[in-house]
Amino acid sequence: MTVNQSTPNRIPAAHPLLGQVGAAAGHYDELRALPGAAGAGVSAGQLARAWQSFFDALGDAGPADLDQRQHALERLIRDNGVTYNVYADSHGPQRPWALDLLPMLLSADDWAVIEKGVEQRAQLLEAIMADVYGPQRLIQQALLPQALVRGHPGYLRAMHGATPAGGRHLRIAAFDLARSPQGHWWVVSQRTQAPSGLGYLLENRNSISLQFPQAFRALNVRSLAGSYKALIDSIASACPDLDGGPKRIVLLTPGPYNETYFEHAYLARHLGLTLVEGNDLMVRDERLFLKTIVGLEPVHGVLKRLDDEFLDPLELRADSTLGVPGLMQAVRAGNVLLANAPGSAFLESPALLGFLPALSEHLLGQTLQLPSLASWWCGEQAAVQDMLPKLRDHVIKPTYPSGHGLSVIAHTLSPPELANWAARIMRRGLDHTVQAYTPLSQTPIWHGGKMVLRSAMLRVFALADGQGAWRVLPGALARLASRDENIASMQQGGSSADVWVVGRSSGPAVIDGLNLRSSGPGGKAAISSRAGENLFWLGRYTERAENSARLAQLTLQSLHGEDRDCSSLLSWLSRVAVNNALVPPGTPAATQSSRVFERALIDALGPASGATSVGYNLMALKGAAACVRERLSQAQWQTIVQAAQDFETRCEPLSGVRQGSIAGSPEQLERALNALQWASHWLAAITGAQTDRMMRDDGWRLLSIGRHIERLGSLSSALASGLATGALREDGGYRAMLALFDSTITFQALYQQRRDLGALLGLLVQDSDNPRSLAWVTQTLKARLNKLGAGQMPDMDGLTRLLPDPSRWPLADLSASGRYDPQHLATLQEDLMATAQAAWSLSEQVGRRCFSHAADSRSVGA
Amino acid sequence: MLLHVLHETRYDYSPAVENAQHVAYLRPLEADGQRVIRHSLQISPDPAHQRTVADLYGNSRSYFSFQSSHAQLVVKASSLVQTAPAMDHQDIESAPWQQVCEHLRYQAGAPWEPSVEFVFDSPCLPHDDAFAEFAKPSFTGSRPIALAAWDLMQRIHRHMRYESQSTDVSTPALQALRQGKGVCQDFAHILVACCRSMGLAARYVSGYLLSVPPPGQSRLIGSDASHAWASVYCPHAGPDGQIDVRRPGIWLDLDPTNDRCPGEDYVTLARGRDFLDVSPLRGVIQGSASHKLSVAVTVTQVAANTSAAAPGA
C-alpha cells in the first residue's frame, strides 16, 4: 500500500485560516498527509493536494465567513429536524444531529485502496454467510470456531438451510475504518445486521455540499446517488414476484423511540419506500402484507433497520413487540426479501476479524487486501498465552453482544483494574477479544471560530447493485471524537463530518440533490392502518383543542362580562363545559356559584391537572403527531411542540394546588385568558399548516375526516343544549353561540345587529358557504369519505348514510307563524342530538373499516 | 415398551382471537431406538395454513395459522411409540471429564465435533458463576464424565424440592436454583447449565413419562404432564485412558427430577439447547384480551398384540 500519496503543493502559502494547527503527536495528520509532528499541535509540512484545492476554492474567506456558514448549517439542521436520540426514549431530549462544517477529504489514491478492500470484504462476508447457512464446511474444517457461529446469539437456527429470496444474504455491509499513524487503513469492525449511517451520510452530503459549492465543484467530488439507486434496484429486481403486481419495498424501523429514527424516516423518504413498524405488517399464508386503510397490500422487499432478535415473536424473542409474527416462516418460504437476510449478526463479532485472512484464502483464493486491526479471540488457548503479557497495549472488546458492553482501552486502566480484566479473560476467554490499539488520524473541524484537528473514524458502505455485484458507496460517514479523545462515537458525544472522495478527472460536477422518489420502485403510496389511525386522531384532537380553548375563553369572559347575570347563558355554558370535560363532573353550575365554577375551570386547564381539558387535548394532539412525525414538515412539528409547551408553561402558576400560585387573584383570570388566547393563536397556525401544507392523500383525508367528525359532534350537541336551556332567547347566549361557532364576523356582515333565531340557525345549520355550519360539515365529510381509497372502499355508502342532511331540515317552519313553535323546536333539538350521535358512530365505523388491523399481538405458550 | 400418548392442549379466549400463529413440537422423535408407530395431530378449528418440517436437530416442527375469529383452540397429539430400554451410566466407559472439556474447546484444524454447540449459552440459560459453583464438587480429579454427571444429577435431586406451580415456563433456572425448588423444566435446565459452566456439552429433552407405574414401583413425579430431563455428552475412553475419537460419543440421558436414567417408560419428544428450542406448543395471538389454558397428558402402556386397537389414534 502506498502512503502519503498526495504530493505536497508547490505553493507554500498555506491558507490564513489554518493558523498553526496540526495533528497531535502520534496521530496521522489528514491535512498534510503526514504522520503527526513530534510536538503536539505544531504545524509542519505542506498541505495535501486535496486540502490545498479546498482552501484555494475558499479564496480569501476568513473566519467570519466560516462562522457564517456554520450558522447557516446549524439553521439547516434545525429546520430539517435532523436529530439523534441520545437516550433512545420518547421523553428524552432529541439532540440535533452533530455535523461539523468542514468535510473530511479523501484523495483518489486513498479511495482506490479502500474501495478495493471493502468490496473484497463484502464478497468474503457473503461467502461466509452462504457457508454458515449452507454446508457449514468452515466450522467442520475448524477454519471458524463453532463458538463464533453456533455459539453466537446472532446465528439464527431459524435460518438454517434456508436460501434467501434473490439468492444472497447480504446487500448492505458497513465497515468502520481507522487510519494508523503511518497512514495505513485498517478495519476496526464490521456491521451487517442493521447498520446505521446511510441516512445521516446522505443528509450530511446534502447539507455540506450547500455550504461549499465552489470547493465541491473544484474537487469534483464523487456522487452518491448512483449507489443508493443501485441498492434499491438490487432489492427490487431480486424480490419474489408472487402476484405480478408492482413490487413494494418497505423500510422496517423499530419506531420513533429508536436513537436513529430520524435517518429511517429520511432514508424512506429519499428512497421512495414506505416507512413501517412491525405492527404495520402481518403474515398470511407465509406471505408478508402491509396493513393499510384500504386493506392488506402485499410486501415483496424489506429494508431492515430492526435487529434480528426482534423480527418475529413466534420464533425469536417472544417478548418482542417490534416484529411481525410468522415473518421467519415467510422468509424461509422465499416469499419476501429482507435486506439483509436475518442471521448475519455473528459477522459483527470482533473475534471473527482474526480468522478472515485464512477465510479469504480459503473461500476467495485471494489475500485479504484491507487488513483488520490485529485481533485475538481469547477462546483459543494459544491466543490467551500470547496476549496476556501484552494486554496493556490493547483494547478489550466483548466477543458477544450480551457481553461486558463497551470496549476498554487497556492503557487507561489502573494496575488493579488491568489485573482484574486479565483474570476475567483467564476465566471466560471466549467472551473476550483483544484488539490492537491505534491512535486515529486527525482531520480539521471548525470549532469556536477557529480550526482544530480531531480524531476520526470512517464508516464505509458496500451496497449490492442490480447486477448481483457489490458497489462501494464513494463517500463515508466520518465520526469524530470529542476533544482529546480517541473514541469516535455518536453515543458518547462525538460529532460527524461529510466525507468527500476527490474525483480523478475533472468532469461535470453534480450537486447531490438526491431524491429517488420519482425513480423509485413502482406501487402507489399506501397509508398504513397505524398511520391512518394517528392522522385521524391528530385531526380530532386538533379540532377538540381548538374547540375547548374557544369554549373556555368564552366561558371565562361571560362570567365577567355584561351578561354575567344571565342565568340561561350560565346554565348553557355550564352544561357545555361539563360535556367537554372543561370542569370535573359534580362541579356546581355557574348559576349556583360562578366563583367555584370559574376556579374549577381554571384549575383543570393545564396538562398536569389530570383533567381532559385544553392542556390535555394539546398533549394528545402532540402525541398523535409524534406517531406520524415523518409526514409533517419540521415547521409544523415545531409549532405543535411549542403550542403544547407554551400552554403548559403558562398554566403552571394557575393551579390552586401549587405553591406560589396566584389562584383566586384577579391576575389569575387575566393569565388564564392570556394562555387561552395564545393557545388559539398556536392552533390557528397548526390548522393552517394542516389545510395548506400537507399532501392531499388518504392520510390527509383521514385527518380531515377526524376534524369534521369532532366538529359535527361538538357543535351540534352545543347547539342542542343552547336550545334546551333557552340561552338563545337572550342576547348574551345569542352572541356566545355565534362566538362558539366562530361565526360572529360572518353573521355581522350579513345581519348586522339583528337578533333573529331564524337568521342564526340559518347561518349555523344550513348555510352552504359557512365552513362551520352543520350542513357544510356533513357535506365535506361525505365528500372526503367518498374519495377515500380512490373511491374503491367497499360499502362507503353505508358510512355516509349514517350522516343526516341538515340542509333539508325544515327550519323555515320554525317561525312560520311568526312565533317559535315549541313542537318544532323540540324536533330540531332531537335532530341535533341525533346528529351528534351520528358523528360518534361514524368515528367508530371509520375505525372498524380502516384501522381494524391495528390490534396488538401477544405470545402464548403451553 | 409400547406406549400410547395423548397430549391435549386447549385454549379458551375471551374475546375471540382474530389471527393466530403457532409452532408445535408434539411428534415424538425417531432416534436412538425409539420408533413412532403411529402419530396424529388434530387441530380444531382447521388451520388456514399448516406446514411440518424437521428442524436442525431432527425434531418435527409444525407451524399452523388461523386468520379468522375463533374463541377456542384444541390441539390433540396422539402417538403410539415403541420405546428403547434404559442406559446404565455405569456401563459407559467414558473419558475423564477434563479431557472432554479439552476436546470440546476450539483448536485450529481439530476434527469436527458437532456436540460442541451444546457447550454454549442458550437463550434460556445465560452463563452464571452460580452454576459452576454448584457443579464443581461433582467434577473431581479425573472422574469419568458419566459418573461425574450422575453425581451432579443426584446432588440436584437432593438440593431441589419438586413443587408444582412453584415456577412457570419463564422462570430462569438461576432463580429456581437459588430458591431450591421448581418443576421438571427447572431441574433439567439446572443440570444443563451446570454441565455447560464446566465446559461440557449438555442438552434439554422434552417428553413424557408413563402414568401407571409398573407393579411394585412407586408413582413417579411428572406423569400426567409433559416431562423434561437433560442429556450429557459422554465420549468414550480409549484403552490409554484418553478420548477414543474413533467411536462416536454417547448422549447420556439423566432425569434429575426422579434421580434416575430415563428408560423404556419414557417417550422422547424433542431435543434442543433449552426449553425455548422445543416448547411443545407456543403461539402469537391477536385480538384477545385473556385466555385460559388447560393441558391434559395421558400415557398408557399398550400390550404389543393390541397395538392396532390403541385408543385415540
Side-chain angles (χ1 to χ4, degrees):
Chain A
M1 182 163 55
T2 46
V3 233
N4 307 345
Q5 304 92 335
S6 311
T7 320
N9 198 291
R10 277 183 301 277
I11 306 160
H15 198 278
L17 282 172
L18 275 165
Q20 291 297 304
V21 66
H27 294 260
Y28 186 80
D29 186 330
E30 292 285 346
L31 264 178
R32 298 178 185 79
L34 283 175
V42 176
S43 67
Q46 292 164 319
L47 289 184
R49 188 191 290 163
W51 283 105
Q52 187 64 54
S53 312
F54 181 81
F55 287 111
D56 288 348
L58 281 189
D60 51 7
D65 295 286
L66 267 78
D67 278 341
Q68 201 176 353
R69 287 174 221 223
Q70 176 80 40
H71 290 140
L73 175 64
E74 283 164 12
R75 200 162 50 240
L76 190 67
I77 287 175
R78 204 180 51 234
D79 290 351
N80 289 339
V82 192
T83 55
Y84 180 88
N85 272 348
V86 195
Y87 300 103
D89 145 17
S90 62
H91 306 295
Q94 283 206 324
R95 194 176 67 176
W97 176 242
L99 170 59
D100 277 302
L101 178 65
L102 297 177
M104 182 171 170
L105 306 184
L106 288 182
S107 71
D109 290 341
D110 272 329
W111 184 250
V113 170
I114 292 173
E115 189 174 36
K116 258 172 83 181
V118 163
E119 187 191 349
Q120 185 199 38
R121 275 183 173 256
Q123 272 175 30
L124 177 58
L125 295 185
E126 174 64 28
I128 295 173
M129 286 293 282
D131 176 79
V132 158
Y133 289 100
Q136 300 210 323
R137 291 196 193 95
L138 297 178
I139 52 175
Q140 286 167 19
Q141 295 170 18
L143 285 162
L144 259 182
Q146 287 214 53
L148 299 183
V149 181
R150 290 189 153 201
H152 193 290
Y155 168 77
L156 298 184
R157 281 152 185 80
M159 284 296 286
H160 178 80
T163 308
R168 63 198 276 181
H169 294 263
L170 304 179
R171 288 172 198 277
I172 302 172
F175 300 87
D176 290 329
L177 307 185
R179 184 182 255 188
S180 68
Q182 291 72 37
H184 300 282
W185 292 102
W186 300 88
V187 174
V188 181
S189 55
Q190 46 199 26
R191 294 282 173 265
T192 53
Q193 188 178 196
S196 64
L198 275 178
Y200 289 122
L201 192 154
L202 198 55
E203 163 72 24
N204 285 359
R205 171 59 53 89
N206 286 342
S207 305
I208 298 302
S209 56
L210 283 177
Q211 308 309 321
F212 300 106
Q214 292 90 347
F216 192 80
R217 264 192 294 276
L219 288 166
N220 189 27
V221 177
R222 298 269 304 269
S223 161
L224 304 175
S227 304
Y228 282 90
K229 186 173 182 315
L231 171 67
I232 297 305
D233 287 348
S234 132
I235 297 175
S237 62
C239 275
D241 186 9
L242 300 171
D243 39 36
K247 305 267 187 87
R248 183 186 299 284
I249 305 172
V250 300
L251 191 150
L252 176 60
T253 171
Y257 301 152
N258 184 269
E259 62 193 20
T260 59
Y261 180 71
F262 166 81
E263 75 159 1
H264 306 169
Y266 188 85
L267 260 185
R269 200 155 50 225
H270 281 264
L271 302 180
L273 311 178
T274 308
L275 182 69
V276 301
E277 295 175 30
N279 62 11
D280 291 330
L281 301 173
M282 77 181 291
V283 169
R284 260 192 186 183
D285 299 332
E286 300 185 340
R287 292 174 59 184
L288 186 64
F289 292 91
L290 175 63
K291 301 185 256 185
T292 78
I293 56 168
V294 295
L296 298 178
E297 301 261 348
V299 172
H300 308 87
V302 178
L303 189 60
K304 176 176 81 72
R305 289 300 300 270
L306 184 61
D307 282 351
D308 290 347
E309 59 179 326
F310 297 103
L311 283 175
D312 181 353
L314 184 64
E315 294 196 39
L316 304 170
R317 273 179 69 155
D319 61 347
S320 167
T321 54
L322 305 173
V324 190
L327 182 58
M328 294 306 293
Q329 196 75 19
V331 169
R332 280 193 302 262
N335 289 343
V336 61
L337 183 152
L338 263 61
N340 290 337
S344 71
F346 75 95
L347 294 174
E348 300 185 350
S349 171
L352 199 76
L353 296 175
F355 296 89
L356 293 181
L359 292 178
S360 176
E361 298 286 352
H362 181 83
L363 290 168
L364 307 179
Q366 296 170 7
T367 306
L368 194 62
Q369 291 172 15
L370 192 60
S372 318
L373 282 180
S375 307
W376 294 266
W377 174 54
C378 297
E380 223 177 333
Q381 207 59 36
V384 182
Q385 303 302 336
D386 283 359
M387 210 45 253
L388 280 180
K390 299 179 280 190
L391 191 58
R392 223 188 98 77
D393 307 324
H394 291 79
V395 181
I396 307 163
K397 295 184 159 186
T399 301
Y400 303 111
S402 52
H404 58 79
L406 297 170
S407 302
V408 176
I409 300 174
H411 72 73
T412 63
L413 298 172
S414 68
E417 284 170 334
L418 190 65
N420 196 14
W421 275 104
R424 281 172 75 163
I425 293 173
M426 289 290 283
R427 208 165 53 240
R428 290 274 298 174
L430 78 169
D431 288 349
H432 304 280
T433 299
V434 172
Q435 194 174 64
Y437 171 82
T438 188
L440 301 171
S441 72
Q442 299 197 322
T443 189
I445 68 163
W446 188 251
H447 181 76
K450 62 178 187 176
M451 199 173 292
V452 290
L453 294 194
R454 288 286 155 81
S455 299
M457 196 182 280
L458 296 188
R459 175 162 285 192
V460 176
F461 291 87
L463 305 175
D465 72 11
Q467 272 66 54
W470 287 99
R471 194 192 267 228
V472 181
L473 183 71
L477 181 69
R479 287 177 298 166
L480 306 176
S482 47
R483 193 177 174 75
D484 298 335
E485 295 283 342
N486 200 51
I487 301 168
S489 156
M490 299 309 293
Q491 247 157 350
Q492 294 181 46
S495 68
S496 74
D498 188 20
V499 177
W500 292 5
V501 174
V502 177
R504 278 194 193 277
S505 57
S506 53
V510 188
I511 298 274
D512 277 292
L514 177 62
N515 190 342
L516 292 178
R517 202 158 197 129
S518 50
S519 56
K524 61 180 191 293
I527 311 295
S528 73
S529 297
R530 182 183 49 84
E533 185 168 25
N534 283 303
L535 285 163
F536 177 79
W537 281 100
L538 175 59
R540 281 199 65 175
Y541 278 119
T542 307
E543 183 72 19
R544 199 180 287 181
E546 258 195 318
N547 197 46
S548 59
R550 190 179 302 117
L551 184 62
Q553 213 175 348
L554 189 61
T555 306
L556 290 176
Q557 281 161 350
S558 300
L559 290 174
H560 294 272
E562 53 185 291
D563 308 305
R564 60 183 173 270
D565 298 323
C566 173
S567 69
S568 65
L569 171 64
L570 294 188
S571 78
W572 173 59
L573 286 174
S574 303
R575 195 184 287 193
V576 180
V578 170
N579 286 346
N580 286 276
L582 292 187
V583 293
T587 306
T591 41
Q592 288 169 270
S593 168
S594 79
R595 288 201 58 178
V596 174
F597 183 81
E598 178 182 327
R599 287 278 291 278
L601 190 147
I602 292 178
D603 265 354
L605 282 180
S609 65
T612 51
S613 179
V614 182
Y616 172 88
N617 292 336
L618 284 166
M619 294 305 279
L621 188 171
K622 185 178 128 188
C627 296
V628 286
R629 169 73 188 79
E630 76 279 0
R631 299 179 60 92
L632 309 175
S633 71
Q634 175 63 9
Q636 190 178 349
W637 169 245
Q638 282 299 334
T639 311
I640 290 170
V641 171
Q642 285 170 23
Q645 181 60 52
D646 177 78
F647 192 74
E648 182 171 13
T649 311
R650 288 176 192 278
C651 284
E652 264 165 21
L654 296 179
S655 168
V657 291
R658 284 180 63 95
Q659 250 195 334
S661 93
I662 51 167
S665 66
E667 199 196 344
Q668 185 201 30
L669 173 71
E670 196 182 314
R671 290 239 207 145
L673 283 169
N674 195 26
L676 288 165
Q677 189 59 48
W678 273 104
S680 298
H681 289 326
W682 286 112
L683 283 160
I686 293 169
T687 299
Q690 286 177 1
T691 318
D692 239 24
R693 307 257 163 118
M694 287 177 72
M695 267 290 278
R696 300 221 161 182
D697 57 8
D698 276 346
W700 177 83
R701 252 165 235 126
L702 281 168
L703 181 147
S704 176
I705 288 168
R707 277 204 81 135
H708 286 93
I709 284 179
E710 186 71 31
R711 186 177 297 175
L712 185 66
S714 61
L715 289 186
S716 49
S717 125
L719 190 54
S721 50
L723 289 170
T725 50
L728 293 182
R729 290 198 209 107
E730 309 279 345
D731 193 50
Y734 198 97
R735 276 188 281 114
M737 187 63 78
L738 279 172
L740 184 63
F741 272 70
D742 204 10
S743 301
T744 308
I745 292 167
T746 317
F747 186 85
Q748 282 171 356
L750 289 172
Y751 304 106
Q752 291 81 42
Q753 294 303 312
R754 258 172 75 188
R755 289 291 176 261
D756 174 51
L757 188 59
L760 179 84
L761 290 174
L763 182 68
L764 300 190
V765 176
Q766 290 187 321
D767 194 314
S768 57
D769 294 327
N770 180 7
R772 309 226 154 226
S773 86
L774 302 183
W776 192 91
V777 174
T778 46
Q779 274 319 309
T780 305
L781 262 176
K782 283 177 191 170
R784 301 265 192 274
L785 285 165
N786 282 327
K787 277 188 95 172
L788 212 53
Q792 288 166 6
M793 301 271 286
D795 192 30
M796 284 315 272
D797 285 355
L799 286 195
T800 50
R801 266 201 306 273
L802 285 172
L803 292 169
D805 185 356
S807 67
R808 301 167 76 104
W809 292 348
L811 288 191
D813 298 351
L814 277 176
S815 52
S817 58
R819 282 186 55 80
Y820 287 101
D821 174 9
Q823 193 63 46
H824 278 118
L825 279 177
T827 311
L828 177 59
Q829 264 181 56
E830 278 165 28
D831 285 344
L832 287 167
M833 292 312 294
T835 302
Q837 206 48 55
W840 310 139
S841 314
L842 179 63
S843 178
E844 271 172 40
Q845 289 294 330
V846 169
R848 207 162 296 161
R849 201 68 65 86
C850 300
F851 321 134
S852 64
H853 297 299
D856 289 338
S857 302
R858 56 207 188 84
S859 294
V860 292
Chain B
M1 194 181 273
L2 197 55
L3 296 179
H4 179 262
V5 184
L6 186 62
H7 184 162
E8 184 176 322
T9 311
R10 183 178 144 155
Y11 280 102
D12 288 289
Y13 304 115
S14 169
V17 162
E18 300 299 328
N19 284 294
Q21 301 183 72
H22 297 270
V23 170
Y25 282 91
L26 287 167
R27 186 190 208 278
L29 196 61
E30 301 225 35
D32 301 336
Q34 176 173 290
R35 284 194 305 126
V36 179
I37 293 163
R38 215 164 42 230
H39 170 80
S40 72
L41 185 68
Q42 291 177 304
I43 303 165
S44 162
D46 282 338
H49 189 89
Q50 187 172 1
R51 186 197 282 255
T52 301
V53 293
D55 75 1
L56 86 165
Y57 301 123
N59 305 308
S60 168
R61 173 188 185 280
S62 290
Y63 164 88
F64 54 91
S65 64
F66 304 96
Q67 43 198 250
S68 56
S69 180
H70 56 288
Q72 189 185 64
L73 168 67
V74 181
V75 178
K76 270 188 212 173
S78 168
S79 312
L80 186 64
V81 183
Q82 180 74 54
T83 62
M87 188 186 295
D88 189 333
H89 70 281
Q90 290 181 332
D91 293 348
I92 307 169
E93 282 184 25
S94 62
W97 73 272
Q98 307 98 318
Q99 289 198 19
V100 180
C101 289
E102 197 55 41
H103 173 67
L104 295 172
R105 192 175 293 151
Y106 173 75
Q107 273 162 335
W112 166 237
E113 174 52 87
S115 61
V116 166
E117 114 159 83
F118 296 98
V119 179
F120 309 123
D121 294 357
S122 57
C124 272
L125 297 174
H127 167 80
D128 194 285
D129 288 341
F131 293 118
E133 286 305 308
F134 187 89
K136 268 179 194 154
S138 297
F139 293 86
T140 54
S142 56
R143 211 172 196 182
I145 181 166
L147 296 183
W150 178 267
D151 183 68
L152 174 64
M153 176 199 74
Q154 290 189 310
R155 289 180 47 242
I156 291 170
H157 181 75
R158 286 198 299 273
H159 174 78
M160 298 287 294
R161 187 155 42 93
Y162 185 94
E163 200 173 295
S164 55
Q165 320 288 322
S166 59
T167 57
D168 65 32
V169 291
S170 62
T171 305
L174 184 62
Q175 188 186 324
L177 178 68
R178 290 202 169 122
Q179 71 187 26
K181 59 183 179 186
V183 298
C184 56
Q185 177 187 310
D186 305 302
F187 283 65
H189 272 159
I190 290 168
L191 179 52
V192 170
C194 284
C195 288
R196 290 182 185 165
S197 74
M198 302 305 295
L200 300 166
R203 62 193 186 189
Y204 178 93
V205 188
S206 116
Y208 308 102
L209 187 49
L210 177 61
S211 307
V212 184
Q217 291 186 26
S218 60
R219 190 182 159 81
L220 295 176
I221 298 164
S223 51
D224 288 323
S226 41
H227 190 44
W229 58 96
S231 187
V232 179
Y233 182 63
C234 302
H236 288 286
D240 54 355
Q242 301 289 310
I243 291 179
D244 183 353
V245 291
R246 287 162 310 167
R247 283 200 286 163
I250 287 175
W251 283 95
L252 175 64
D253 278 12
L254 296 165
D255 179 0
T257 312
N258 292 303
D259 199 19
R260 56 167 282 200
C261 279
E264 59 178 354
D265 46 348
Y266 281 66
V267 173
T268 299
L269 258 186
R271 305 188 290 222
R273 292 169 301 158
D274 59 34
F275 171 76
L276 281 183
D277 276 345
V278 292
S279 58
L281 182 62
R282 63 150 131 177
V284 179
I285 56 171
Q286 190 186 27
S288 179
S290 71
H291 66 267
K292 201 175 110 231
L293 165 68
S294 47
V295 181
V297 175
T298 313
V299 185
T300 45
Q301 189 175 358
V302 183
N305 55 358
T306 61
S307 67

